[in-house]
Amino acid sequence: MTHTIQPNNPETTPAPETSDAPAAGAAAPAGTSLSGALNGAVAKASAAVPAALKRRVPKYSDLAPLMQFKKPEFSRAAKLQRASTIWELRDMAKRRTPQAPFDYTDGAAEAEITLRRAREAFLDIEFRPGILRNVSSIDLSTDILGKPSRLPVGIAPTGFTRMMQSEGEYAGSQAAEAAGIPYTLSTMGTASIEDVAAAAPNGRNWFQLYLWTDRDRSLELIERAAKAGNDTLMVTVDTAVAGARLRDVRNGMTIPPALTIKTVLDASYRPAWWFNFLTHEPLTFASLSRYTGTVADLINSMFDPTLTFQDLDWLRETWKGKLVVKGIQTVDDARKVVDHGADGVVLSNHGGRQLDRAPIPFHLLPDVKEAFTRDNSDAAIILDTGIMSGADIIAALALGADFTLIGRAYLYGLMAGGRAGVDRAIQILEKDMTRTLALLGVSKLSELTPDHVRILGR
């Protein structure tokens, strides 16, 4: 004969045996029917239930405090405020933006392996928090390249930004100014150096440079950037030729966007984007006034495949402000550009948009930090690519970055809601960083160490 034994819950105390109820199989006391015995047991059980657990018809006075129905809000501002993550802003951006400009932002080179790995790198970490620390006040401020920043993140250079949303670079620079963080204008930005400086006169503006074969044109841009008050020049060096951005190829991406049958159909359920695009000034660039053609042709016309470290020497002699080299993907190159006068490096694989299967900046970070420490170098280490949350930023800082940059993360906000969307993206990241630091038991960035983060599987 098989007996089934129910396991006991180790967190409960067995109830003491009582003789109030008849044992199973025992006869009821003489003179008591079986139904009477059951009714008595039920009555005793009911008497043992606390009054608060007895069922009753609810009173209106009980329900009134619970019935706080809010008027539905469908405005863009309300929707932006409901977004709690950068991913939610991305979803909004995709609904509001035609496929070609959205894919230009969202996509990467070839099979997009590099971008996927960059994002996975931030997922494959383990935070190691400290407890019993006073985290009642969190300080996210830092210094980068000789000046303060309210947050350890700035806006990276992005091309064709007004194509994503009509406010473009103006929204990005003004949001950065309001947040007290740096903004970087791209050589291929769709607003002039002077206009961006005028839009955010009290902001910290940096300028990103693609060196051309025609050094006179490059020199003109450098002089304009200096005159407009940009204190940092960020030269990009990972673009000998344009990467194979297959989404752009499939979408027939052109500057300006062409009105084909496909784009007209795409516009039919995104009329606000087209209305804004067609009723604002045509796209202009920081480096040339007009351009018509494919994105790939424009990129290849801008890049100089003959660049060497000697060109970096020329740039160091020409530019008197802070000089940062963007596109560093090996420890040796990080050390070399510092030897050639760079004040900082940006560990970046161009957001996965150039060489697919390129090194992941987050994985490279500890090695570069170790090399700079051995060299007694005080060059700044800045990291971009793959950042989609404030926790990503904190992880990078813990492993040795001095600062970070966001590209797609702010562009999703821009496409979702213009200037207000960029503001919301920065707010989301700031809230993430504040919460992550507090849960790590850290009250300021200088307290972060590599012990706070472990890269899983390494």
Side-chain angles (χ1 to χ4, degrees), residues 11-356:
E11 295 185 0
T12 61
T13 303
E17 294 185 2
T18 172
S19 59
D20 290 344
T32 303
S33 66
L34 180 59
S35 61
L38 292 174
N39 288 335
V42 170
K44 289 182 179 181
S46 298
V49 175
L53 296 181
K54 291 182 179 179
R55 295 188 183 278
R56 62 183 178 81
V57 176
K59 300 176 182 178
Y60 176 78
S61 59
D62 297 329
L63 295 176
L66 305 177
M67 300 187 329
Q68 299 179 8
F69 300 109
K70 294 183 178 180
K71 181 180 179 181
E73 295 184 85
F74 301 105
S75 67
R76 181 173 298 186
K79 291 179 180 178
L80 287 173
Q81 287 303 310
R82 287 197 292 270
S84 299
T85 68
I86 299 298
W87 292 106
E88 290 176 5
L89 291 179
R90 178 187 178 276
D91 291 341
M92 293 177 63
K94 189 172 184 178
R95 291 193 296 269
R96 297 179 182 278
T97 312
Q99 183 176 350
F102 178 82
D103 278 353
Y104 176 80
T105 298
D106 195 61
E110 301 180 41
E112 303 188 356
I113 295 169
T114 298
L115 176 58
R116 186 166 61 252
R117 287 176 178 173
R119 286 178 171 161
E120 288 172 352
F122 286 107
L123 299 179
D124 293 338
I125 66 166
E126 176 182 270
F127 281 121
R128 294 186 165 185
I131 61 170
L132 298 177
R133 272 75 165 180
N134 183 351
V135 291
S136 58
S137 177
I138 301 296
D139 182 5
L140 293 172
S141 64
T142 189
D143 288 331
I144 183 65
L145 297 170
K147 291 188 178 181
S149 177
R150 196 178 68 84
L151 303 173
V153 60
I155 291 182
T158 57
F160 318 131
T161 314
R162 284 182 56 227
M163 184 173 61
M164 314 311 156
Q165 203 270 355
S166 58
E167 296 177 57
E169 287 84 2
Y170 304 113
S173 60
Q174 290 173 342
E177 178 186 51
I181 63 177
Y183 172 82
T184 314
L185 174 65
S186 171
T187 296
M188 301 177 74
T190 44
S192 73
I193 300 170
E194 294 78 12
D195 286 348
V196 169
N202 298 315
R204 186 179 184 188
N205 293 322
W206 297 353
F207 183 69
Q208 177 270 336
L209 178 71
Y210 288 115
L211 274 172
W212 296 347
T213 304
D214 184 347
R215 289 292 181 267
D216 289 338
R217 296 184 71 185
S218 297
L219 183 60
E220 178 187 352
L221 282 178
I222 294 169
E223 291 173 345
R224 286 172 58 192
K227 187 176 180 180
N230 291 260
D231 63 72
T232 297
L233 187 68
M234 183 182 295
V235 59
T236 298
V237 295
D238 60 354
T239 50
V241 296
R245 303 169 191 177
L246 299 184
R247 289 203 214 183
D248 296 344
V249 174
R250 297 180 186 116
N251 290 329
M253 181 72 165
T254 61
I255 303 293
L259 288 171
T260 64
I261 293 177
K262 180 179 179 180
T263 55
V264 169
L265 290 174
D266 195 33
S268 64
Y269 55 95
R270 295 179 177 93
W273 185 93
W274 281 101
F275 177 78
N276 286 331
F277 180 80
L278 296 173
T279 57
H280 286 85
E281 284 294 316
L283 300 184
T284 57
F285 296 84
S287 53
L288 63 161
S289 57
R290 293 288 188 274
Y291 180 84
T292 301
T294 68
V295 172
D297 288 342
L298 175 57
I299 290 174
N300 281 323
S301 72
M302 301 285 288
F303 299 164
D304 182 0
T306 69
L307 289 179
T308 68
F309 284 96
Q310 282 64 47
D311 296 290
L312 190 59
D313 293 334
W314 171 82
L315 195 58
R316 177 68 282 179
E317 293 176 2
T318 304
W319 175 258
K320 304 307 179 186
K322 297 292 185 181
L323 177 64
V324 175
V325 179
K326 181 176 182 287
I328 300 300
Q329 298 173 68
T330 70
V331 174
D332 286 345
D333 281 346
R335 299 174 75 178
K336 284 181 182 177
V337 297
V338 172
D339 290 341
H340 283 264
D343 297 297
V345 298
V346 182
L347 307 184
S348 170
N349 56 35
H350 216 99
R353 299 163 66 78
Q354 285 295 102
L355 176 66
D356 209 8

Side-chain angles (χ1 to χ4, degrees), residues 372-424:
F372 280 16
T373 300
R374 288 199 311 266
D375 295 344
N376 292 317
S377 173
D378 60 355
I381 302 175
I382 303 172
L383 182 138
D384 78 2
T385 303
I387 292 173
M388 288 291 283
S389 73
D392 298 341
I393 295 172
I394 296 303
L397 297 174
L399 289 183
D402 297 299
F403 203 68
T404 61
L405 296 174
I406 51 168
R408 289 183 179 88
Y410 105 87
L411 289 176
Y412 292 140
L414 175 68
M415 290 185 285
R419 161 68 194 279
V422 182
D423 288 336
R424 185 58 184 156

